[in-house]
Each structure stands twice: as structure tokens, then as C-alpha cells.
Amino acid sequence: MTREGDRYTIRPGRASDATELVRLHAAVQLQAGTGGQPHPGIAAWVDGLLAGHPSVAPDDFLVAEELATGRPVASLVGLRQDWSLAGVRLPVVQVELVGTAPEHRGNRLTDRLLAALHERCAADGVPVQVIEGIPHFYRRFGYHYALANGGASTVPAAALPAAERGGPDDAPGVMTVDPATVANTEALAGIDRQLADGEALVCPRDAALWRHEIGGRAPADLVRRVVAVLRHGGDVRGYLVHGARLSDAGELTVFAAACQRPADWQQAAATMHAYLGRVGQQYAATADRPFVAVRPVLDANHPLVRLGPPGVPRRPGAWYARTGDPVDLLARLRPLLHRRWQAADLRWPEPALVIDMYGRAARLEFTDGELTAVTAARPAVSPSTDPGTHAAIPPDALLQLALGHRTLPEVLDAWPDCLLRDHLTEHFLTVAFPQVPVRVWPRN
Ligand SMILES: CC(C)(COP(=O)(O)OP(=O)(O)OC[C@H]1O[C@@H](n2cnc3c(N)ncnc32)[C@H](O)[C@@H]1OP(=O)(O)O)[C@@H](O)C(=O)NCCC(=O)NCCS
């Protein structure tokens, strides 16, 4: 994509860009921590994404090339992944590594790279993009804080149990936690398949991705995490994913924790916390800082958190999310909406329920009261007065509802331009969009 008189072209990345992209990102990302030196953790991460990551291809990067030199001077990467929203597959692109060389800033290159990414997502049928990044910045590109991130209390090291309860590791009935090996990848993928059918928003990994997390990353890779497995005898019953080092504040981050059987959580939470205490002490012994706390980047209601030691409350953060096509997003959720209305014994009394999103509209079609299709409809000129419109919902509010981030009462409270025709519509949409726990950890 080149404009007349332009200094740049926007194009997909190539394998031959690897050296330049590693150099560019190592030089621009997280510079506050390196004092202006190239960041080795970023270099190793970008190198791994371009060679060896099982779900990333070079053309997942988008590059702004300076025409005069042929060199990449800005880029980002869109990591393709399938999430599962309460059992429904949801294609997502996670944006990472947004960066422009300092001498090329001021040319709106992020704007152009994201526009190219959004076009690609529209063409590929990827309804949602997410990014975790500079506060407020990505709002200008149509992103909204629509996915909870964290919110669990931080557990001081002194509050952790001293040892796993229940006796020696090999005693019958006792659960243990120890580092995962590549031999565990099929079992871990099986647990993720099971979680994908639950009620949360999750990002399931297959065996190849688990293999990459366990043994595929360079030691210096900034986003390398440690995977541990929860065992009961010879069975893998769950997993725990935590940082590979202590943070500058002496905290050990927990990214994910899962149990195949909910009934295991009581014992698993104690065992996992004792293990985290041991790991924190080991890390402190080789680092030049004390182990201060475990910091779960999990929701406050996560079983590991609820059943673990009390800690110091933290305000939840949020990921940015964007959709270019809220009608497509609703259409993908059709089986879920159908299931939720059926479970609540609700039948819509008309042939259609029309949701106008101020510029786009979705027509939800019903047969004998049951949802059968979601199609695009012509938006009303004035949705607030149009007799054929049941609900007028701004697209950013619709995104919050669809992802289970905000409930309808919360949206009605905060968006005065969210308008509903009657109480029946309100009831239907309240049941359609309950809050959904976010149990996603970055697939980057
Ligand atoms: C953020 C970054 C990618 C923007 O690059 P760019 O789009 O090519 O740069 P531009 O100069 O055209 O910036 C566009 C706007 O973003 C703003 N901006 C740049 N960095 C910002 C920051 N850290 N916080 C808030 N706004 C920022 C600029 O001030 C400019 O605003 P304006 O339109 O009001 O003038 C670039 O500054 C960079 O590489 N920073 C270091 C790496 C980084 O922080 N990446 C983001 C990781 S999430």
C-alpha cells in the first residue's frame, strides 16, 4: 500500500526481514528499562516469532518499509488465534510489537499499519482484535477496554503455605506440582479442549503450542513462561503457568491455572501456592532481589485466588478490544445466544429482533420463538424513533456485551444512547449477555 509522493510502503513481513525486525524492535521496545540499549528479551522474542513459533508466519508481521532504503522502519504483528467464548469458537488477532524507529515517528505509521491489519482481518473473517498496550493510545484506532485483565489480590510471600499439604509427594491421594515436560503436551491440550467447552472466555492451546511454551522458547525470550503440571499419581490433572523470573518488584507472576476437575481445586490451590513459594525462593536465590509476593494476573473469582491465601487487593486492568464488524460478531455467537435463551425458557414472540448499531444493524431471526439466523440489515436513519428497531446499541457497547465484559444494566447506566423498545427486549438482551470470566493468557 503506497500513496503518491509517499516515503513508505506498507507490506506484509517476509522471512528475509528477520534481522531488521529483530534490530528494530530491540531498539524501540521497553527502552525505559534498558537505558537506550537494545533489549535482549525483545530480540529473542521477535527472533522466535519469525523462526519457530508454531502459529506465526513472517507475513503475520506488517511492515512500513522506507522506499529510499528498502528497510523496515515500523512494524507490528497480528497473532492469529482461536479463542472460545462459552464454547463458541471466536477467531481473534492479538496485536503485539507496535513500534516505529524514532527518526520515522510523526508520520502516522501506526495508523497505517493498523488500517492494513484491520483490512486483513475483515478479509479473513476475524471479527475481534485485541491489544494490551499504552494507556488510552489505541482508543484513537477504534479499540475499547472491553476485556478484563487481572484483578486478583497479590499474595505476600509470607502468606504462602510453607509446604504442600498432605504428606510426601508420592503418597496416595496427594497432588503434586512440578515442571512440565514435552511428554505432557497432549494431556495439557486435552485440558484446554475441555476448558473451551466451559462458560469462560479462554484461549485453548493445542499440543504444538504447549510444546513451544514448554521447550520452544529461547531462555532470554521476554515472554517465556514456565509451565508446571498438577499431578495426581500418574495423571495430569491441571496446570499452572508462571513467570520465568521475578519482576523488578520481586513478584512472581501467575498467568494461568487450570484444573480438569473442579472438585480438585481445594487441594490444588494449596499445592500450587506452596509450589509458587518454593519457586519464588529459588528465583530470589539467583536474583539480586528478595521474593516479595505472588501476583496472579487472574480474575478475583478464579478458584486459585478464591481458595488461596488472602492477599492485597488490586484493581482489575483491561485489554483493548476492537471489532470491525459487530454483526458478524453477533452471527458467530448465534449458537450461544440460542442456548442461553433456551436455558432461560425464553421464546421471542416476533419473527425478528432488530438491533441497530448506529450505522449497521443486525436482524436476529426466530422460528417458533427460537433463534435461527443473524443477518445484516439496513440500519435505520433514526434508530431511536424507528418502529422496526427493537434495540439501538452503540457498537462499542455491543462489543462489551458480546464479550461478556459489561452486562446490559451496566451498559444502560453508562451509554445514554443505548435504547431499548420495551421491557421484553431488555429482558431478552439481559439474558443473552451475562458477564463472562476471562481466563485468557497471551498467545504470543
Ligand atoms: C507508539 C509508537 C509506535 C507511535 O509511532 P508512530 O505512530 O509512528 O508515531 P507518530 O509520531 O506518528 O504518533 C502518532 C501519535 O501517537 C502519539 N504517541 C506516541 N507515543 C505515545 C505514547 N507512548 N503514549 C501516548 N501517545 C503516544 C504521538 O504523540 C502522536 O500523537 P499526535 O497525533 O497527537 O501528534 C512509537 O512512538 C514507538 O515506537 N514507541 C516506542 C515503542 C512503544 O511504546 N510501542 C507501543 C507498545 S504497545
Side-chain angles (χ1 to χ4, degrees):
M1 201 194 305
T2 314
R3 301 168 186 168
E4 209 179 327
D6 203 347
R7 289 170 62 196
Y8 307 98
T9 186
I10 307 294
R11 62 162 175 81
R14 304 175 188 132
S16 57
D17 292 326
T19 307
E20 290 285 344
L21 288 178
V22 168
R23 200 193 329 254
L24 171 71
H25 286 293
V28 303
Q29 306 292 346
L30 303 181
Q31 291 301 289
T34 66
Q37 294 303 306
H39 195 300
I42 294 281
W45 178 23
V46 179
D47 191 46
L49 288 174
L50 284 154
H53 195 294
S55 61
V56 181
D59 68 1
D60 290 331
F61 280 78
L62 284 163
V63 166
E65 178 186 305
E66 186 189 30
L67 290 168
T69 59
R71 294 179 67 174
V73 296
S75 94
L76 53 74
V77 61
L79 302 161
R80 298 162 202 263
Q81 41 207 284
D82 280 345
W83 291 8
S84 177
L85 176 63
V88 171
R89 188 179 78 88
L90 187 64
V92 170
V93 156
Q94 184 190 338
V95 187
E96 288 275 19
L97 292 162
V98 178
T100 301
E103 61 278 23
H104 293 276
R105 292 180 191 162
N107 292 296
R108 296 270 171 276
L109 292 178
T110 301
D111 209 339
R112 293 179 61 182
L113 288 163
L114 282 172
L117 180 86
H118 297 158
E119 246 177 61
R120 176 187 275 188
C121 288
D124 294 349
V126 179
V128 174
Q129 295 83 56
V130 300
I131 186 166
E132 185 183 18
I134 304 173
H136 197 270
F137 180 58
Y138 293 96
R139 288 180 191 264
R140 63 168 77 190
F141 308 112
Y143 287 75
H144 305 278
Y145 287 108
L147 276 177
N149 183 15
S153 296
T154 298
V155 184
L160 295 167
E164 278 95 327
R165 281 193 210 141
D169 283 2
D170 55 356
V174 170
M175 288 190 198
T176 58
V177 178
D178 51 73
T181 70
V182 289
N184 302 132
T185 53
E186 291 295 344
L188 292 165
I191 294 171
D192 270 5
R193 275 196 300 278
Q194 187 183 322
L195 293 180
D197 287 332
E199 287 307 306
L201 180 63
V202 298
C203 172
R205 284 163 165 78
D206 61 15
L209 270 161
W210 277 112
R211 198 168 300 120
H212 183 66
E213 296 290 358
I214 292 166
R217 293 185 185 272
D221 185 332
L222 181 80
V223 300
R224 183 170 69 86
R225 292 153 287 222
V226 175
V227 181
V229 285
L230 176 77
R231 289 180 203 277
H232 182 266
D235 286 354
V236 172
R237 291 271 193 94
Y239 61 77
L240 181 65
V241 183
H242 61 81
R245 52 191 81 83
L246 294 180
S247 72
D248 290 347
E251 292 176 343
L252 177 60
T253 306
V254 175
F255 297 98
C259 263
Q260 205 164 28
R261 306 175 190 198
D264 284 347
W265 266 117
Q266 193 75 41
Q267 196 189 334
T271 308
M272 287 179 179
H273 278 101
Y275 164 87
L276 290 165
R278 280 202 322 250
V279 171
Q281 298 300 351
Q282 280 162 15
Y283 285 3
T286 54
D288 55 356
R289 67 192 77 122
F291 168 43
V292 174
V294 166
R295 184 164 104 68
V297 192
L298 306 173
D299 58 289
N301 205 32
H302 191 291
L304 180 71
V305 177
R306 254 190 306 112
L307 300 170
V312 182
R314 277 186 87 96
R315 182 177 167 220
W319 294 62
Y320 292 101
R322 169 193 181 271
T323 182
D325 191 347
V327 178
D328 178 42
L329 183 56
L330 280 183
R332 285 177 186 275
L333 299 187
R334 188 190 61 78
L336 181 58
L337 301 179
H338 178 263
R339 175 153 50 88
R340 286 172 174 164
W341 283 325
Q342 211 172 33
D345 213 8
L346 284 177
R347 305 176 87 78
W348 184 247
E350 299 177 38
L353 189 165
V354 176
I355 302 177
D356 193 293
M357 289 163 263
Y358 297 99
R360 291 170 190 263
R363 183 182 159 83
L364 281 61
E365 291 170 18
F366 293 79
T367 306
D368 299 330
E370 300 217 349
L371 182 64
T372 48
V374 178
T375 55
R378 184 193 289 270
V381 175
S382 171
S384 59
T385 54
D386 176 56
T389 299
H390 297 85
I393 307 181
D396 54 331
L398 193 281
L399 180 67
Q400 307 266 341
L401 292 171
L403 296 179
H405 188 58
R406 300 276 176 229
T407 60
L408 189 66
E410 289 169 334
V411 162
L412 288 169
D413 197 36
W415 274 266
D417 48 357
C418 178
L419 303 166
L420 307 175
R421 193 174 73 178
D422 50 31
H423 287 304
L424 185 64
T425 306
E426 183 171 345
H427 184 47
F428 258 74
L429 295 184
T430 301
V431 169
F433 301 115
Q435 204 148 39
V436 173
V438 180
R439 303 271 154 87
V440 165
W441 55 289
R443 190 168 137 177
N444 52 10

